[in-house]
């Protein structure tokens, strides 16, 4: 993968940080983006200190002006991993805060749109064809109570991805969707429950081995490193203990 560049959004923690490590280990020059500059700068240093190639670019994917400036400064790119996203709250539709819904839509859908539009010209010119990855969620296929805003956003991300694949058919750009189920990371549930550690921990209580960020990153790395003519349209990955969004085996 010498000389090839992968951009990873939301790379300051969780799946994004793990994906950056995985692609750097695969030989990519990894460009880490996220709002928290100190996090991605520390990760870039960690990777470069071990002989890998990485650099940090603080970026808010909902800021189109900043995204366009980032794209103009980047040069060539081979892979875009649209990972930035997240959930806020578990309110019902009747009681949900429109501001939370707007925030989730802007980062999970418009953030993907901004990054993909800005980098698509470079991806089209990638040496062996470009790759767009969208990290969506099983919430984009099956709803659950209290998840209306997040599910709506992830349904949107899924629709964007499928439409893009149709529109790019015949061009040298792959469009891959990775849809994780239950993943235990340091921040996802904690952010959703607005810092309530007990409620965040309860999500995973009794579940034997929920997925880790590294599990999802390994899946992304596998899909990205297939031969250029192989497109993994949609890959749903869950822990063995989770049969669906509503059926999870718990012990104890």
């Amino acid at each position: 993968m010498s000389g090839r560049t992968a951009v990873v959004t939301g790379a300051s923690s969780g799946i994004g940080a793990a994906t950056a490590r995985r692609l750097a280990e695969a030989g990519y020059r990894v460009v880490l983006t996220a709002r928290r500059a100190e996090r991605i700068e520390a990760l870039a240093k960690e990777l470069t200190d071990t002989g890998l190639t990485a650099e940090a670019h603080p970026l808010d994917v909902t800021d189109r002006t900043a995204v366009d400036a980032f794209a103009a400064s980047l040069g060539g790119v081979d892979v875009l991993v649209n990972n930035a996203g997240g959930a806020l709250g578990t309110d019902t539709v009747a009681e949900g805060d429109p501001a939370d819904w707007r925030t989730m839509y802007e980062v999970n859908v418009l953030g993907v749109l901004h990054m993909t539009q800005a980098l698509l010209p470079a991806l089209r010119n990638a040496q062996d064809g470009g790759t767009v990855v969208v990290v969506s969620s099983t919430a984009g296929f099956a709803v659950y109570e209290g998840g209306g805003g997040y599910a709506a956003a992830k349904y949107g991300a899924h629709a964007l991805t499928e439409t893009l694949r149709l529109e790019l058919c015949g061009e040298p750009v792959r469009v891959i969707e990775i849809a994780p189920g239950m993943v235990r990371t340091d921040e996802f549930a904690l952010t959703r429950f607005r810092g309530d550690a007990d409620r965040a921990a309860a999500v995973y209580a009794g579940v034997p081995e929920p997925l880790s960020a590294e599990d999802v990153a390994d899946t992304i790395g596998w899909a990205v490193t297939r031969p250029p003519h192989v497109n993994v349209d949609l890959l749903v990955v869950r822990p063995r203990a989770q049969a669906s969004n509503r059926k999870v085996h718990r012990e104890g």
Side-chain angles (χ1 to χ4, degrees), residues 16 171 218 244:
E171 296 193 44
D218 189 54
S244 74

Side-chain angles (χ1 to χ4, degrees), residues 45-67:
K45 183 178 186 303
E46 171 195 318
L47 295 173
T48 57
D49 284 350
T50 61
L52 302 175
T53 305
E55 56 191 70
H57 287 262
L59 182 66
D60 180 350
V61 297
T62 68
D63 182 341
R64 184 54 184 261
T65 300
V67 168

Side-chain angles (χ1 to χ4, degrees), residues 4-30:
R4 297 185 186 179
T5 296
V7 174
V8 181
T9 71
S12 59
S13 65
I15 293 170
T19 299
R21 290 190 181 94
R22 173 68 174 77
L23 295 181
E25 290 166 357
Y28 284 90
R29 164 198 172 224
V30 176

Side-chain angles (χ1 to χ4, degrees), residues 3 31 73 110 191:
V31 181
S73 71
L110 295 183
T191 299

Side-chain angles (χ1 to χ4, degrees), residues 99-116:
D100 287 343
W101 283 55
R102 183 177 297 108
T103 296
M104 287 186 281
Y105 188 84
E106 285 179 350
V107 67
N108 289 288
V109 183
L110 295 183
V112 174
L113 178 68
H114 293 326
M115 293 296 294
T116 301

Side-chain angles (χ1 to χ4, degrees), residues 1 26 28 65 81 87 110-111 115 132 149 174 184 194 196 237 239:
M1 300 299 173
Y28 284 90
T65 300
V81 180
L110 295 183
M115 293 296 294
V132 177
R174 300 185 296 182
R184 180 166 54 196
R194 308 183 196 281
D196 188 327
V237 54

